[in-house]
Amino acid sequence: MSLRGAIFTVYDTKNSLPLELPITKHIDELFRKQKGRIPSEFVFAAENEYGQVREPKKVVAKVKALSETHCDFHDLRRTFATTEEHLDVGSYKLKRLMNHSTGRDDVTAGYIILTAETLRQSAEKIQNYLNSRMIGSNVLDFTKAAHS
């Protein structure tokens, strides 16, 4: 992850291709707060033999319990994809942001180069839309909830 370059790269992906994504302004704020809160080289630090969250099932279960929701990663991906479509971001950017490959029969996709920087505006647009929907009573502060 490069906070200075405002990008992060995921190397261990389902399709085995590295994924470089923009760090949006809001995510940057969250990363910086987290970095100041926990002295670790990892964004998702954990008190285990690895020093990081390797399998998020326990973390997700805790979030579900604290928030009293029943959503999973695919629900979040569906929300993201649907939001992106409603905002007219474009199918090629959608596929890249979700790390989906384009089919071999899509000749046009072979000509399109999407970098983290070219995805930044779309990522910010989606994030701003979703953040505008998270207001007041329907948002849970997990840092407070975890300690209560």
Side-chain angles (χ1 to χ4, degrees):
M1 176 173 39
S2 168
L3 288 179
R4 184 174 295 148
I7 57 172
F8 69 95
T9 306
V10 181
Y11 294 100
D12 187 13
T13 63
K14 192 173 179 179
N15 66 11
S16 301
L17 299 172
L19 175 63
E20 189 177 88
L21 294 169
I23 297 174
T24 60
K25 292 174 187 170
H26 183 71
I27 297 297
D28 181 62
E29 289 174 26
L30 294 175
F31 281 163
R32 289 180 191 278
K33 283 180 186 176
Q34 183 71 358
K35 186 177 181 182
R37 199 176 356 242
I38 299 172
S40 173
E41 65 182 295
F42 301 109
V43 174
F44 300 105
E47 293 179 4
N48 60 25
E49 64 184 290
Y50 307 107
Q52 64 178 315
V53 173
R54 303 264 310 236
E55 174 50 62
K57 288 180 183 173
K58 288 181 183 177
V59 175
V60 171
K62 189 171 185 177
V63 169
K64 286 180 180 182
L66 290 170
S67 64
E68 299 176 352
T69 62
H70 303 286
C71 72
D72 60 24
F73 286 125
H74 282 93
D75 294 319
L76 298 174
R77 289 176 68 83
R78 273 189 287 278
T79 300
F80 182 84
T82 301
T83 300
E84 192 164 33
E85 182 62 26
H86 287 275
L87 295 175
D88 290 325
V89 168
S91 61
Y92 291 114
K93 287 182 180 179
L94 167 64
K95 286 182 180 221
R96 189 69 190 137
L97 286 167
M98 294 187 70
N99 200 31
H100 287 175
S101 59
T102 53
R104 292 179 182 242
D105 59 337
D106 188 346
V107 177
T108 306
Y111 291 98
I112 298 172
I113 299 170
L114 294 171
T115 65
E117 202 51 51
T118 59
L119 296 171
R120 185 173 310 285
Q121 184 178 0
S122 298
E124 290 283 357
K125 186 177 183 179
I126 296 160
Q127 176 186 273
N128 292 340
Y129 176 85
L130 293 172
N131 281 351
S132 74
R133 300 306 183 265
M134 295 187 290
I135 51 175
S137 63
N138 68 346
V139 177
L140 178 63
D141 183 341
F142 286 109
T143 57
K144 291 179 183 172
H147 299 293
S148 57

